[in-house]
């Protein structure tokens, strides 16, 4: 696949890629932009090669996930990624449902698995590729994540 | 199934909320970003160090490139006492010819 074809494919998935990068960077748009830029450079310079074994979107999402992990590790080397929350607390408004904030209450894996499934519409087999996990593990995170999110939503509704 | 609907609705709302999020254009992301000041500063320091190193190496090389046939003449000034024969001539004054240095006082005392 030449660089023009790659560029064309990146353009097609650009919006989804940005949203996924943002979700991987704790909903920080600026961080997502930087991560996505590194990802595009990696792909267009041939440092990350698409082997054609999987769906292009699945592979792209996987590259974004790994790059965001590296980027966040560099920026917060003393803080665990699970504990890190960049959701802006200053702009927190009481009467608005903060979906991102609620999702951040889930474990990192449950959060990502549910996003890939319900937001990006990926089947579990593809989620397993993006997350670099066994499909059985993905299924477990999917089920537990749904149960936890349901509780979080109900708690949120009861508090209102 | 009811649970799934709740969750689906939750993500649908999230998708709607994300419509307000600005998505940068593909070209904006693809084109190289302006370098942050920190990296420019680091680049500047590295460049000046490189220049200093270059100047230093040039000077060292210049010192080492000395013509092997070149002989340096140092002007040495050695003062040598003028060789004269004065020391060889010894005049011995005769006792009869000898006069005391105060002789003039005897003869011309009134002049003093």
């Amino acid at each position: 696949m030449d660089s023009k074809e790659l560029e064309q494919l990146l353009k097609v998935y650009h919006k989804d890629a940005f949203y996924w990068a943002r979700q991987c960077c704790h909903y920080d748009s600026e961080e997502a932009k930087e991560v996505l830029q590194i990802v595009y450079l990696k792909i267009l310079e041939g440092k990350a090669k698409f082997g054609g074994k999987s769906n292009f979107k699945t592979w792209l999402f996987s590259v974004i996930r790994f790059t965001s992990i590296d980027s966040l590790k560099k920026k917060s080397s003393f803080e665990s990624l699970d504990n890190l929350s960049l959701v802006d607390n200053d702009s927190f408004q009481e009467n608005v449902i903060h979906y991102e904030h609620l999702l951040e209450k889930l474990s990192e894996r449950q959060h990502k698995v549910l996003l890939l499934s319900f937001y990006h519409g990926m089947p579990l087999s593809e989620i397993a590729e993006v997350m670099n996990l066994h499909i059985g593990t993905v299924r477990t995170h999917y089920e537990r994540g749904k149960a936890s999110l349901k509780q979080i939503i109900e708690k949120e509704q009861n508090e209102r | 199934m009811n649970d799934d609907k709740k969750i689906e609705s939750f993500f649908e709302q999230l998708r709607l909320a994300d419509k307000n999020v600005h998505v940068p254009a593909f070209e904006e992301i693809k084109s190289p970003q302006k370098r942050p000041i920190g990296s420019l500063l680091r680049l500047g320091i590295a460049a000046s160090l490189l220049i200093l190193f270059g100047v230093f190496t040039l000077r060292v090389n210049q010192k080492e490139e000395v013509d092997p046939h070149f002989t340096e003449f140092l002007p040495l000034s050695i003062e040598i006492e003028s060789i004269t024969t004065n020391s060889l001539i010894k005049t011995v004054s005769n006792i009869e010819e000898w006069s005391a240095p105060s002789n003039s006082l005897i003869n011309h005392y009134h002049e003093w």
Side-chain angles (χ1 to χ4, degrees), chain A residues 6-66:
Chain A
L6 276 171
E7 210 174 306
Q8 204 57 43
L9 276 170
L10 288 175
K11 262 185 189 176
V12 170
Y13 293 110
H14 174 65
K15 204 173 174 179
D16 287 338
F18 178 75
Y19 284 134
W20 174 236
R22 193 170 166 271
Q23 288 155 356
C24 288
C25 297
H26 303 277
Y27 304 94
D28 182 342
S29 293
E30 283 307 307
E31 186 72 44
K33 213 170 145 180
E34 278 178 36
V35 164
L36 208 55
Q37 192 165 43
I38 298 167
V39 168
Y40 286 176
L41 270 175
K42 271 185 190 175
I43 294 170
L44 295 171
E45 286 178 359
K47 285 175 188 166
K49 283 179 186 171
F50 175 56
K53 287 176 189 170
S54 57
N55 183 342
F56 184 81
K57 186 182 169 183
T58 311
W59 174 76
L60 176 64
F61 272 40
S62 171
V63 179
I64 291 170
R65 186 179 155 263
F66 283 115

Side-chain angles (χ1 to χ4, degrees), chain A:
Chain A
M1 194 179 283
D2 64 23
S3 61
K4 275 195 176 180
E5 282 176 305
L6 276 171
E7 210 174 306
Q8 204 57 43
L9 276 170
L10 288 175
K11 262 185 189 176
V12 170
Y13 293 110
H14 174 65
K15 204 173 174 179
D16 287 338
F18 178 75
Y19 284 134
W20 174 236
R22 193 170 166 271
Q23 288 155 356
C24 288
C25 297
H26 303 277
Y27 304 94
D28 182 342
S29 293
E30 283 307 307
E31 186 72 44
K33 213 170 145 180
E34 278 178 36
V35 164
L36 208 55
Q37 192 165 43
I38 298 167
V39 168
Y40 286 176
L41 270 175
K42 271 185 190 175
I43 294 170
L44 295 171
E45 286 178 359
K47 285 175 188 166
K49 283 179 186 171
F50 175 56
K53 287 176 189 170
S54 57
N55 183 342
F56 184 81
K57 186 182 169 183
T58 311
W59 174 76
L60 176 64
F61 272 40
S62 171
V63 179
I64 291 170
R65 186 179 155 263
F66 283 115
T67 311
S68 68
I69 290 171
D70 284 346
S71 175
L72 290 175
K73 264 186 192 170
K74 276 180 197 168
K75 292 197 174 172
S76 57
S77 48
F78 299 110
E79 197 167 1
S80 160
L81 288 175
D82 287 333
N83 299 332
L84 187 75
S85 175
L86 296 174
V87 175
D88 191 5
N89 289 324
D90 295 339
S91 60
F92 208 88
Q93 291 168 349
E94 275 191 15
N95 297 325
V96 180
I97 300 172
H98 296 272
Y99 301 99
E100 297 162 355
H101 188 75
L102 294 179
L103 276 170
E104 293 258 296
K105 287 182 181 175
L106 294 171
S107 79
E108 179 74 16
R109 284 182 176 175
Q110 288 174 1
H111 175 194
K112 295 281 177 342
V113 167
L114 291 189
L115 275 169
L116 288 169
S117 175
F118 289 96
Y119 190 99
H120 296 283
M122 276 189 185
L124 293 187
S125 58
E126 286 184 11
I127 295 171
E129 280 181 47
V130 174
M131 298 293 290
N132 202 24
L133 292 170
H134 188 269
I135 190 155
T137 315
V138 171
R139 197 166 284 124
T140 309
H141 287 305
Y142 175 77
E143 294 300 337
R144 287 183 186 165
K146 278 200 306 185
S148 302
L149 186 61
K150 191 195 148 203
Q151 281 182 351
I152 292 167
I153 295 167
E154 280 172 357
K155 196 183 166 192
E156 179 75 14
Q157 283 171 344
N158 290 337
E159 281 174 4
R160 281 171 189 277

